[in-house]
Amino acid sequence: MCGILGYIGNRDCVRFLIDGLKRVEYRGYDSAGILIYDGKNTSVVKQPGKIIELEKLIGDSLKGNAGIAHTRWATHGEPGHANSHPHVSNNGNIFLVHNGIIENYTSLKKKLEKESFTFYSDTDTEILVNLIQFYYAGCIENAVKRALADVEGTYGIGVFCSEEPGVLIAARMGSPLLIGIGENENYFASDPASVLKQTDEVVYMQDGEIAVITDSKVVHKTLDDVLLEKDVEKISFELSEIEKSGYDHFMLKEIFEQPRTINDSMRGRILLDEGTTKLGGLSEHPEIYSRLLNAKKIFIVACGTSWHSGLIGEYMIEEYARIPVEVEYASEFRYRDPIITPGTVVIAVSQSGETADTLAAIKEAKRKGATVFGICNVVGSTISKETDAGVYLHAGPEIGVASTKAFTSQVIVLALITIDLARHRNMSFREGYKIVKELKNLPEMVEKILENSEKIKELAKKFSSASNFLYLGRGFNFPVALEGALKLKEISYIHAEGYPAAEMKHGPIALIDENMPVVFIAAKDSIYDKVVTNIREVKARNGIIIAIASESDSEIDLIADYVIKIPEVTNLLSPILTVIPLQLLAYYIAAEKGYDVDMPRNLAKSVTVE
Ligand code: F6R
């Protein structure tokens, strides 16, 4: 979603601001803009479309030692010039970039209209910048604080005032924001990727905080003026991790990174000799952790791909640890008054750790007295801070909008939690040992599937002009069917549905004809025979069968039209292997169609609005 960035120092910052915006392109945006102060004058350049177009428009025309910049993902108003950021106050002195949503903008607008303010855009941001002007009486810090006291909603903001050009103001409530520390220069940014080329030293801001930034120092306060001592932290990833490193797209790079990322998610967490697992993020909080071990009921809340991994978590935890689990879309959980009784534990799953719906569900669960655990990828993200305890994925930055490596790492972490819970309850050493041993072999097995990518590419060429796909799976692989369908529709814009294989005959079977590719996830597991029956049902109606099947399965070669073989693994870990060909199939189909795989239309990497 939107990205914000600011610089104050002694260097020309135009290049840095443009490059920094490019680093957050992956988050999704539809317009971009920049304000530069050259020591005398301010210039704003903004427009709908890609950053490269903004860069062309700027050419060599801008130079300056202070500036703020923005990528916007439209919420209030279409992605036109007037709605793009930075926004400027009526008197032309105050400039604002803003992520988030001002919920009470209508009443604030009325108040300002009575004071003769005029508005030129449809945005809530323009109202805020004029509210800051309304309160301005010689000190921009105070004006921002007074204005924010009137605001309901979420924001990460950066402010420049031409009457006080030596200072930038940043403030945060619900939208991520950090300060980058340089030498005689400082930055603010919504994403560490924007500043990493300049500095790896950052201070993460929390909700209700404001930072007063000059070239030589940064003062942190609460919005009600209490001075804060904040720790400087190191960004947890390397520059190479946010570059394509020779791959055509980040998504492809991330698919191929999975042998390593799966390993990173397990590293130091497997106790082979004890046939179990240990997650520091849980065991270091014994009192909170014991609530998970003794949970009477677990809710898993998440959105999109993370919701799919949550569904696999449900299958795992119920089958192996025998604790009842309910998986909820975070957006539904919040509004449907879920029943939370003593002993209820909520696990929130999120790659970004910033998803607004998931955050809202966490707040609601806490308000009702539940203990909340987080499974997040982004270190220091809001969800990781809002939860009582949790586990990081350690999958490294995920830039491709379509989530791939985060999904497999989420499933790994849920498997690790399941084994830990089950071994405390009813799982024998023998069974625990067998599963953790197989876990250790997964990276190699994934590597083997990836070696087969050319075959999947060929298949993608055959089917890139299909207009519908059906994905079917059962048991642990039913959520993989949902995930395969989601991947395909997100990046190739082909309509795809995922179903439990047996459910097909209750409706979707009507869609099947000789033009319908049906992807079956048919790994050799306890319900393999049932899946084969479902395959025959599709075959009998002339559907085209693409099967993801186990290496040793020769029977499937006789029924399916196309077969992709994968190594054999125990039921619970099967999704980590079966999803890989589906990720590749979606990728190669979208690439074949020439689409911008890393930035699919209308999608944002981190959905920070409800
Ligand atoms: C799909 C995808 C989205 C996200 C969803 C939740 O490829 O990326 O469906 O999974 O928006 O995001 P996180 O996991 O960041 O909470």
Side-chain angles (χ1 to χ4, degrees), residues 303-306 349-355 358 401-403 410 483 486-487 490 605-607:
C303 306
T305 287
S306 299
V349 186
S350 172
Q351 186 286 128
S352 63
E354 303 295 345
T355 302
T358 311
V401 164
S403 186
Q410 286 166 348
E483 176 61 7
L486 179 67
K487 285 293 86 95
E490 277 183 303
K605 181 66 186 160
S606 157
V607 185

Side-chain angles (χ1 to χ4, degrees), residues 14 18 38-39 46 109 130 140 160 187 203 270 303 324 327 377 451 569 578 595 601:
V14 176
I18 294 289
D38 67 4
K46 56 183 188 173
K109 187 173 183 184
N130 282 302
I140 188 64
F160 175 85
Y187 317 83
V203 175
I270 289 183
C303 306
V327 186
N377 192 33
E451 279 164 16
V569 76
T578 51
Y595 291 141
R601 69 182 179 211

